[in-house]
Amino acid sequence: MEGSEPKESSSEQQQAPPEKKVREPFSRAMKDEPISNEQRLKELWHLLDLLEIEYKKTTDLHTLISSVSESLTMVWKKRDPKSELALKGLLLILEYCLSHVFDGHAVFEVFVTSLGFNTVIFWKHCAGYIFDSDLGRGTKFRDALLFSLTLYDVNTGKNRLRELYAAVPGIRKSLLGVNAKQFGERYHHLQKRLAKYGSHTSLCSLTSESDTEEALHIKSGDHSENEEEDPKKPRSGLADPHFQQRVINVSNAPPVSLKREKTGDWEIKQGSGGLVACVDPVMSKDHENLWLANLGMNINDKKNKRPGSIASIPESLSFPSTNTLGLPLIKQTIAEVFFHVLADDDMDAPKNEKQKKAREEMSLLGVLNNYNRGNYKLNPVVVQEEDYNVYYGGISNGLLWPALHNLPEYIVSEYNDEKVLRAHWCAYVRVNYQFAIDAVRNSRPQDFIWIHDYHLMLVGMIMQSLDQHLEVGFFLHIPFQPPGEFFSKYSTVGFAVLRGLLRFTKVGFQTHRDRTKYIELVQHYFGTAKIVYDNKMDIYSVTNEGWTCSLGVFPVSIKNDDFLKFVDLPETIKLKSDIRKRVMGEHPASDGRFFFSVERFDYTKGIMEKLQAYQRYYEKHPDRIGKDVLYQIAVTNRRSVDTYRVYQDECIDLAEKINETFKSKENPNWKPLIFQTDGMQRSELVAAYLAMDIGVVTPKKDGMNLVAKEMLVCNPRAGLVLSTGAGSEIQFTTAGLYTDKEKNYHRISNVFDADSYCDAFYAAALEPEDKRAEHGKRLHEFIMANDIERWSSAFLDPSWTHEVIRPTQIDTLDDFFSLMMKTRNVRRQIVGRVLKGIPIRSHFAISLRNAKESLEQICKPGTHTAEFKSGPDSTEVAHFEIDNELQEFERDLSFIDYVQSDDADNVEQFVDRKK
């Protein structure tokens, strides 16, 4: 029929099924049901089919992602019509990885590696998706991405996190609260300037809002060239906050102990322990110093509690969130209550149970605030409770502690499972990550950040990726003697630790033995590392992967006055007599000896070996039965750990057996051994030191063991039995206190050799009192001269790092030009910091001063004429007038003095003075 449309065939009438669309990545809200692995597999299969990418249709999601990530990247890099779809595939993979940070970190490493040199471009593309999801749907993908990249960098030694910061600069500023810190520094600078000119005393006195904005550099705009400047009005000044350098101490253990009373109030007391004793005197010098530590106030989110090991983690991760100021939100759901507590103590009555609970938790802030008023500042580091338990009880004390003491038999057997090891390692990295973030947030560029001990060995690496201008030091309080299997069987941990220490500016070890071991391992495993030794300073500088670290030896000591103040007190003298009578009896043998030993009940302390040797002592020397007594204090700890509980029970059984085996008919009340598991107050401990004849300090492995020093400081007439496992023995030997000609203590070279061990007991017991007192006096004098003040001053001294130009002997023209090139680099760093508003470090002045003195040494007396050879083989002496060079050094040093002064207009004064 004319005009009618032709009929379609039956096949054309059947409509083709609509093509299944690929789900938009990062489009799921937190409240939505988690996406199953099966669903993710189907999504990836469909997307790969659309892209015509060949793949093996496996049902294991990790295997599929690992096999196709590189192919998707190749398609995306072509920038053709399929690129957008390939990008969507990469984003879907990223979404999965960030939703399964712990059990998906291995596939995340494969994914990031597959991006190759395109990571910066990729992060720019994905940043919008992640931010929109977090802001609009309440997800926490940003925090997951930051941690995942941190974990990737730790495990591989790369710097992918810095690539993310380069691609999305705002993410770093938001994380660290950069804007808030800059505002605070400018406010402080303005206050000083206003106070100096006397017309105003606070920021509130500014005449208008615009004045405030201009003073704080918030408002931008060009000044007219014709605008006349008031010479009396403060000018711009250096962008320097004029804060003095602080020490920011970072440790797992806090310097205080916290206890919550039945009333709900918190009680805070000064803590004890080796770390506190070492560092507290340094921190107490300045109220502005800051101590960051975990106070036990961790987040316990029961909804997200992970059963069993960390490997089983739900998709809804619970990362500590941050706001734009970089402050941790303890309770994100009621953040307004948190800030209200900080701002105002007079709160209204809580409206519900959540607010009531939040107020109870925050009541501790008042206690900390009162503590901070009279001491250095103490800030808590808050982490996930499950993470902390695994980080502390697992990796730290179940692997690192025994491994670094070279006691592999005490490594937790669960770590033979690679999956458990990696899962627990994630928790260790995550806690180090939180410590690092808190340290950077609370620091200023001129501060020195001091990290302590094996719990936080990765903090330097993470901090440097966050802010490369910081000076971060690390001190290891325990030995560094890992066995070979630490880098084979536990390579995930071993290489990260070895690499992580090199990311600190400087690292201190207790003994030369530990540093030597570390250097040997670096040479063995990092063949490209450049190692330089300065024999004058006794410092190693190691450069690896673009980072340089200085390695020194600093034997830690005690604060002598903390013990000596008890020695002459009447109550101490009476207590000394009471303790000796209780241990030795009413009528002791005239030649009886009081052996005393005190330590934590730890397998590293060699208590079992000591008891075995003491048992052998009476078997081999029965003439000492009824005369000598060993008073052993082993303070019980870590009973919840199987290895500790079994070890402690075995020691106690052996102690009971010794008392049952050895009896004296002449002295029926005599006991060879008093074994005590409770600790002592310091006053009682000093009295015991005074009462003893011979101190026994014989660990299998120990960092320093300050007990030996405490004993001889208090009682210079005492003898000492000391094992080579103690760092103090290494220090004494290095100082010449134990030689072939003069042995000032009784050395135990092998604590497992019971015969030689008991012979040392016997020699100590028979040593004449005058000879014993002579040896004790020498040890006492050495310890008094090398106290905690000397230790901390030596480590904090900026002159020993690789960044400093050392005093140089200039013999040739090449030496002269080499020195001037080094000083040129220092000057460039100074200018760069001044222009960026970054404070100048103290080592700059040390370098320039050393360079200036080196030049002055080659000048003729009374002149500025330098004399040196034109070449190493030349006999010809060249003469140069270096008056200009010396004047430049003087100007540079004067400039640094002005810049580092506390005056608000220091730069202007310097310029006016030089006109």
Side-chain angles (χ1 to χ4, degrees):
M1 183 180 295
E2 188 178 4
S4 65
E5 298 179 0
K7 291 184 178 181
E8 297 178 350
S9 65
S10 59
S11 60
E12 290 175 317
Q13 288 177 359
Q14 295 178 356
Q15 294 184 351
E19 186 178 279
K20 180 183 175 183
K21 291 185 177 180
V22 178
R23 180 178 61 84
E24 286 296 322
F26 298 100
S27 59
R28 187 179 59 86
M30 285 288 288
K31 62 182 180 180
D32 296 340
E33 285 294 322
I35 302 174
S36 66
N37 285 359
E38 183 180 359
Q39 184 179 347
R40 292 184 187 275
L41 274 170
K42 291 179 179 179
E43 290 176 348
L44 277 177
W45 289 341
H46 176 61
L47 186 139
L48 293 169
D49 289 339
L50 293 175
L51 291 171
E52 299 178 345
I53 294 177
E54 294 183 4
Y55 64 96
K56 185 178 180 180
K57 202 166 187 178
T58 176
T59 57
D60 183 78
L61 185 57
H62 286 194
T63 302
L64 180 64
I65 292 175
S66 299
S67 63
V68 304
S69 293
E70 189 171 349
S71 299
L72 284 170
T73 304
M74 294 291 291
V75 175
W76 170 57
K77 288 194 298 185
K78 290 180 179 179
R79 305 294 186 266
D80 60 17
K82 292 183 179 180
S83 294
E84 186 175 347
L85 190 58
L87 175 62
K88 187 174 289 187
L90 293 173
L91 291 173
L92 286 173
I93 293 175
L94 179 62
E95 180 190 44
Y96 167 77
C97 294
L98 300 186
S99 300
H100 299 77
V101 171
F102 279 71
D103 54 352
H105 66 275
V107 75
F108 179 79
E109 289 185 13
V110 174
F111 170 72
V112 173
T113 303
S114 71
L115 294 174
F117 296 105
N118 301 279
T119 49
V120 174
I121 299 174
F122 179 74
W123 298 137
K124 287 183 178 180
H125 279 286
C126 74
Y129 290 90
I130 292 175
F131 275 70
D132 289 345
S133 179
D134 284 2
L135 294 174
R137 301 178 182 88
T139 55
K140 299 180 181 178
F141 288 122
R142 185 199 68 163
D143 294 314
L145 177 60
L146 289 168
F147 172 72
S148 296
L149 286 173
T150 299
L151 184 60
Y152 178 92
D153 288 350
V154 166
N155 290 340
T156 64
K158 306 296 183 182
N159 281 301
R160 300 296 192 186
L161 191 59
R162 295 177 68 177
E163 293 176 357
L164 175 65
Y165 296 147
V168 193
I171 196 171
R172 177 183 169 277
K173 290 186 176 181
S174 174
L175 178 68
L176 302 180
V178 172
N179 293 330
K181 287 170 66 175
Q182 290 177 347
F183 183 91
E185 291 171 355
R186 289 167 180 165
Y187 178 90
H188 178 84
H189 177 69
L190 178 64
Q191 286 280 45
K192 293 183 69 67
R193 289 164 65 83
L194 292 177
K196 175 181 178 180
Y197 287 91
S199 57
H200 309 288
T201 58
S202 73
L203 182 64
C204 301
S205 62
L206 291 171
T207 56
S208 67
E209 184 177 348
S210 61
D211 292 336
T212 306
E213 292 178 348
E214 183 177 356
L216 291 174
H217 303 275
I218 296 174
K219 186 173 70 174
S220 62
D222 295 331
H223 294 283
S224 170
E225 295 181 1
N226 298 325
E227 183 178 349
E228 186 175 350
E229 183 179 4
D230 184 355
K232 296 182 180 180
K233 182 179 178 181
R235 285 170 282 180
S236 59
L238 179 66
D240 185 338
H242 300 285
F243 291 112
Q244 296 300 314
Q245 184 186 56
R246 303 172 300 170
V247 175
I248 298 181
N249 200 67
V250 185
S251 66
N252 174 72
V256 298
S257 59
L258 292 167
K259 181 181 178 182
R260 196 164 194 174
E261 302 294 340
K262 294 181 179 179
T263 59
D265 296 333
W266 289 89
E267 181 184 19
I268 188 167
K269 292 182 178 179
Q270 192 68 24
S272 59
L275 175 62
V276 177
C278 294
V279 182
D280 192 74
V282 180
M283 300 297 291
S284 300
K285 290 181 178 180
D286 189 347
H287 286 194
E288 291 300 314
N289 288 338
L290 179 66
W291 194 317
L292 297 174
N294 185 274
L295 303 183
M297 301 183 304
N298 297 318
I299 302 172
N300 184 5
D301 192 343
K302 294 183 178 179
K303 291 189 301 181
N304 293 329
K305 191 170 182 179
R306 303 183 286 271
S309 71
I310 291 187
S312 54
I313 298 175
E315 198 160 338
S316 55
L317 290 169
S318 180
F319 284 87
S321 299
T322 57
N323 62 7
T324 54
L325 294 179
L327 296 172
L329 302 182
I330 306 291
K331 293 292 183 182
Q332 186 181 14
T333 55
I334 43 175
E336 70 281 358
V337 177
F338 175 72
F339 285 107
H340 186 59
V341 173
L342 292 178
D344 186 5
D345 292 330
D346 299 322
M347 293 175 59
D348 296 329
K351 298 177 182 179
N352 52 51
E353 285 300 317
K354 282 189 176 181
Q355 290 189 354
K356 182 179 179 181
K357 191 171 187 305
R359 178 184 294 186
E360 290 174 356
E361 292 176 350
M362 290 300 103
S363 63
L364 183 58
L365 289 176
V367 178
L368 291 176
N369 186 47
N370 290 332
Y371 178 86
N372 289 343
R373 287 176 181 173
N375 300 273
Y376 47 81
K377 305 296 184 290
L378 174 61
N379 280 11
V381 178
V382 181
V383 298
Q384 294 288 338
E385 186 171 336
E386 289 90 349
D387 284 348
Y388 184 84
N389 292 338
V390 174
Y391 139 87
Y392 182 74
I395 291 292
S396 293
N397 291 316
L399 176 57
L400 292 178
W401 175 266
L404 296 182
H405 283 82
N406 196 15
L407 297 170
E409 64 270 24
Y410 290 103
I411 294 176
V412 176
S413 60
E414 282 78 3
Y415 290 140
N416 295 333
D417 185 337
E418 179 69 17
K419 186 176 181 181
V420 174
L421 178 65
R422 278 187 167 269
H424 285 207
W425 178 243
C426 286
Y428 181 88
V429 175
R430 192 170 170 190
V431 173
N432 274 247
Y433 172 72
Q434 193 60 52
F435 269 91
I437 288 177
D438 283 19
V440 177
R441 286 174 182 162
N442 285 279
S443 65
R444 305 170 189 138
Q446 66 268 48
D447 294 334
F448 178 75
I449 300 97
W450 196 356
I451 315 296
H452 291 271
D453 230 359
Y454 62 103
H455 310 88
L456 304 173
M457 301 179 87
L458 304 177
V459 170
M461 173 186 290
I462 300 171
M463 288 185 69
Q464 295 287 8
S465 68
L466 295 168
D467 190 342
Q468 59 182 341
H469 296 296
L470 297 175
E471 185 177 7
V472 189
F474 177 81
F475 189 82
L476 185 63
H477 292 259
I478 68 172
F480 191 88
Q481 298 292 319
E485 64 182 21
F486 189 56
F487 300 97
S488 56
K489 192 174 182 179
Y490 312 105
S491 58
T492 300
V493 178
F495 288 118
V497 166
L498 199 63
R499 189 187 304 113
L501 290 183
L502 292 178
R503 294 292 182 87
F504 289 97
T505 309
K506 55 184 178 181
V507 173
F509 294 91
Q510 293 272 25
T511 67
H512 287 83
R513 174 185 61 190
D514 298 324
R515 186 181 66 176
T516 299
K517 181 66 173 180
Y518 181 78
I519 291 294
E520 289 174 355
L521 291 169
V522 169
Q523 289 174 325
H524 181 72
Y525 291 109
F526 301 149
T528 59
K530 181 182 178 182
I531 301 175
V532 179
Y533 179 65
D534 184 337
N535 58 358
K536 291 183 179 179
M537 299 289 292
D538 187 25
I539 298 297
Y540 277 98
S541 294
V542 181
T543 302
N544 184 54
E545 298 176 346
W547 301 87
T548 302
C549 173
S550 299
L551 307 174
V553 175
F554 304 92
V556 76
S557 192
I558 61 174
K559 189 176 182 181
N560 297 328
D561 291 342
D562 285 349
F563 294 88
L564 293 175
K565 66 184 179 182
F566 293 103
V567 169
D568 295 323
L569 296 178
E571 51 267 35
T572 304
I573 296 173
K574 181 181 183 305
L575 190 56
K576 161 196 167 184
S577 178
D578 293 343
I579 291 174
R580 188 168 182 88
K581 188 179 295 184
R582 173 161 52 89
V583 172
M584 302 299 291
E586 292 287 343
H587 305 288
S590 59
D591 60 342
R593 294 293 178 259
F594 178 176
F595 292 93
F596 182 57
S597 187
V598 55
E599 52 244 326
R600 286 186 297 105
F601 212 153
D602 193 295
Y603 53 76
T604 63
K605 303 299 181 182
I607 298 172
M608 175 63 76
E609 292 72 23
K610 183 192 308 174
L611 295 177
Q612 291 169 345
Y614 194 60
Q615 182 182 27
R616 181 63 181 147
Y617 175 60
Y618 288 113
E619 293 171 351
K620 193 173 181 180
H621 305 286
D623 57 303
R624 303 309 299 174
I625 294 175
K627 298 179 179 180
D628 302 336
V629 180
L630 170 60
Y631 184 12
Q632 172 68 60
I633 298 178
V635 183
T636 303
N637 69 324
R638 300 174 181 171
R639 288 285 293 176
S640 59
V641 181
D642 289 342
T643 51
Y644 278 82
R645 184 173 60 255
V646 171
Y647 177 81
Q648 291 166 5
D649 290 342
E650 290 176 349
C651 288
I652 293 172
D653 290 342
L654 180 56
E656 293 174 353
K657 180 181 177 181
I658 291 172
N659 280 332
E660 292 171 359
T661 303
F662 302 103
K663 307 285 184 181
S664 172
K665 293 180 180 179
E666 294 79 10
N667 189 358
N669 294 323
W670 172 83
K671 281 188 175 183
L673 175 65
I674 298 175
F675 199 95
Q676 177 179 321
T677 57
D678 294 328
M680 281 183 168
Q681 296 291 331
R682 181 168 289 175
S683 57
E684 188 179 1
L685 187 62
V686 171
Y689 290 155
L690 294 171
M692 73 182 188
D693 295 312
I694 300 157
V696 182
V697 182
T698 54
K700 288 190 283 189
K701 291 288 192 304
D702 220 339
M704 179 53 58
N705 199 309
L706 299 177
V707 171
K709 297 186 177 184
E710 295 172 5
M711 288 175 167
L712 271 298
V713 159
C714 296
N715 188 353
R717 297 186 61 81
L720 180 64
V721 178
L722 186 62
S723 73
T724 55
S728 51
E729 199 282 328
I730 305 296
Q731 183 187 15
F732 293 161
T733 299
T734 304
L737 293 171
Y738 191 94
T739 64
D740 292 336
K741 295 181 179 180
E742 183 180 22
K743 297 178 173 62
N744 288 297
Y745 52 90
H746 303 274
R747 177 195 278 175
I748 306 294
S749 299
N750 183 3
V751 296
F752 300 100
D753 184 352
D755 278 314
S756 63
Y757 199 149
C758 76
D759 288 344
F761 273 123
Y762 193 65
L766 297 186
E767 186 177 27
E769 291 187 18
D770 57 340
K771 201 68 176 175
R772 187 177 70 204
E774 180 184 333
H775 294 158
K777 182 182 178 183
R778 291 196 183 99
L779 291 171
H780 173 83
E781 291 172 348
F782 175 80
I783 298 167
M784 290 294 293
N786 295 272
D787 63 356
I788 192 63
E789 293 288 338
R790 183 168 181 175
W791 169 78
S792 58
S793 299
F795 184 85
L796 295 174
D797 184 356
S799 66
W800 67 271
T801 70
H802 60 275
E803 299 172 309
V804 173
I805 298 175
R806 308 265 188 252
T808 306
Q809 177 65 37
I810 303 174
D811 295 322
T812 66
L813 188 61
D814 287 341
D815 294 337
F816 172 77
F817 284 121
S818 175
L819 177 64
M820 298 310 293
M821 287 294 290
K822 291 178 181 178
T823 59
R824 185 196 67 173
N825 294 334
V826 171
R827 290 179 170 116
R828 284 181 173 178
Q829 292 181 61
I830 293 173
V831 172
R833 281 180 166 257
V834 169
L835 294 177
K836 293 178 182 178
I838 301 172
I840 294 175
R841 292 204 173 279
S842 54
H843 67 75
F844 289 137
I846 297 173
S847 293
L848 295 178
R849 195 170 292 112
N850 286 342
K852 177 175 176 289
E853 291 174 358
S854 298
L855 289 181
E856 289 174 338
Q857 288 179 359
I858 61 172
C859 292
K860 291 181 179 180
T863 72
H864 288 162
T865 303
E867 296 182 329
F868 41 76
K869 297 178 181 179
S870 57
D873 300 325
S874 174
T875 58
E876 183 180 354
V877 178
H879 300 270
F880 285 89
E881 289 295 330
I882 57 172
D883 188 64
N884 290 336
E885 284 79 3
L886 294 175
Q887 288 181 8
E888 285 294 327
F889 281 125
E890 285 289 348
R891 281 194 287 268
D892 292 339
L893 291 169
S894 297
F895 174 74
I896 291 175
D897 288 340
Y898 273 100
V899 166
Q900 292 181 329
S901 73
D902 199 38
D903 195 295
D905 294 322
N906 51 14
V907 177
E908 287 79 2
Q909 292 179 12
F910 176 80
V911 173
D912 291 342
R913 182 173 176 269
K914 295 298 179 182
K915 285 181 178 179

